[in-house]
Amino acid sequence: DSGVTQTPKHLITATGQRVTLRCSPRSGDLSVYWYQQSLDQGLQFLIQYYNGEERAKGNILERFSAQQFPDLHSELNLSSLELGDSALYFCASSVDPYPTDYYGYTFGSGTRLTVV
Amino acid sequence: AQTVTQSQPEMSVQEAETVTLSCTYDTSESDYYLFWYKQPPSRQMILVIRQEAYKQQNATENRFSVNFQKAAKSFSLKISDSQLGDAAMYFCAYRVTSGSRLTFGEGTQLTVNP
């Protein structure tokens, strides 16, 4: 157990629907990152939050949004889902906004999203 | 933009033998980290080894070592005495020291044959 908790582990939904993925960071970590792993795009960075504020943005579609709550958990909202959104969505966390310790990030085990 | 390339989609090795996974990267930054991550069938992303660009000495973690060639922008991973548990997808990754996002390569699927 890495200490980063992602729920649900698996999600199957239909095209056009909206889903919410949840991430609880490791205890003491203030920064949360979201990554998408798909067959087409590989592993790519979506967005980072630090202590409730958006810190960095990557290749995140406009149909996707995220937020970090006061208790530091984060949610990734995916709407108007398309078949191509099927992927493994990882959350990671770190203490600092720019990870400095050896491990840098701690990854969760991911949410497998299947859009049918 | 920074890019990371892994030119070997698949590799295989016999148990107890040595295998080297290749990675090249492109960046204009001078201060950065390079990583190798392992992703077994459990999907968990596990850090194998980290190299700071300012260090000339190659990083080593037990059976895992890297060959870091900064001028050539090359960062290969050597796994010695391969074990069945080493079978996984291996990702090379880059992060600028002052940044937070990881840029990953395409991955190399490693099979370990008994």
Side-chain angles (χ1 to χ4, degrees):
Chain A
D1 182 8
S2 67
V4 178
T5 304
Q6 289 190 246
T7 56
K9 293 193 182 305
H10 303 276
L11 195 52
I12 302 174
T13 189
T15 54
Q17 295 297 305
R18 172 189 169 93
V19 296
T20 298
L21 312 183
R22 182 187 171 101
C23 170
S24 294
R26 192 180 56 167
S27 178
D29 286 356
L30 300 178
S31 199
V32 170
Y33 312 79
W34 287 97
Y35 284 82
Q36 179 195 58
Q37 184 178 18
S38 66
L39 289 175
D40 292 342
Q41 302 292 329
L43 257 165
Q44 57 177 354
F45 170 76
L46 295 179
I47 198 163
Q48 176 198 5
Y49 280 82
Y50 177 74
N51 205 19
E53 300 290 327
E54 183 181 304
R55 188 81 180 189
K57 209 166 188 176
N59 300 321
I60 187 166
L61 299 173
E62 286 191 8
R63 300 184 286 108
F64 296 1
S65 64
Q67 54 184 328
Q68 186 180 27
F69 294 87
D71 67 352
L72 301 177
H73 91 273
S74 177
E75 293 181 356
L76 179 66
N77 299 296
L78 315 176
S79 62
S80 302
L81 284 166
E82 303 174 359
L83 295 177
D85 297 328
S86 296
L88 186 58
Y89 290 85
F90 280 108
C91 171
S93 70
S94 67
V95 173
D96 301 312
Y98 303 128
T100 54
D101 65 14
Y102 182 86
Y103 289 95
Y105 285 21
T106 301
F107 279 89
S109 57
T111 293
R112 168 74 69 187
L113 173 66
T114 303
V115 182
V116 297
Chain B
Q2 296 88 4
T3 59
V4 178
T5 302
Q6 294 177 248
S7 59
Q8 306 155 315
E10 298 176 346
M11 292 282 285
S12 64
V13 63
Q14 291 297 124
E15 197 175 3
E17 296 294 308
T18 296
V19 65
T20 299
L21 308 184
S22 301
C23 172
T24 58
Y25 60 96
D26 189 24
T27 183
S28 57
E29 301 285 342
S30 59
D31 202 8
Y32 51 88
Y33 298 113
L34 294 165
F35 306 86
W36 281 97
Y37 280 91
K38 170 184 177 181
Q39 187 180 38
S42 66
R43 309 181 320 202
Q44 184 75 43
M45 293 292 287
I46 302 166
L47 177 65
V48 175
I49 200 164
R50 181 181 97 163
Q51 174 79 42
E52 294 93 330
Y54 70 86
K55 288 188 177 179
Q56 293 190 351
Q57 185 174 8
N58 290 322
T60 299
E61 290 288 338
N62 300 314
R63 298 182 295 107
F64 299 87
S65 61
V66 299
N67 183 4
F68 174 47
Q69 302 289 328
K70 191 172 183 179
K73 296 181 179 172
S74 169
F75 182 61
S76 61
L77 174 70
K78 185 172 82 171
I79 306 174
S80 304
D81 185 25
S82 296
Q83 300 175 1
L84 295 178
D86 295 334
M89 181 72 87
Y90 286 81
F91 290 95
C92 178
Y94 162 99
R95 177 168 66 83
V96 65
T97 304
S98 60
S100 56
R101 71 180 68 184
L102 286 167
T103 300
F104 287 91
E106 305 89 340
T108 297
Q109 182 67 51
L110 178 66
T111 300
V112 181
N113 300 308

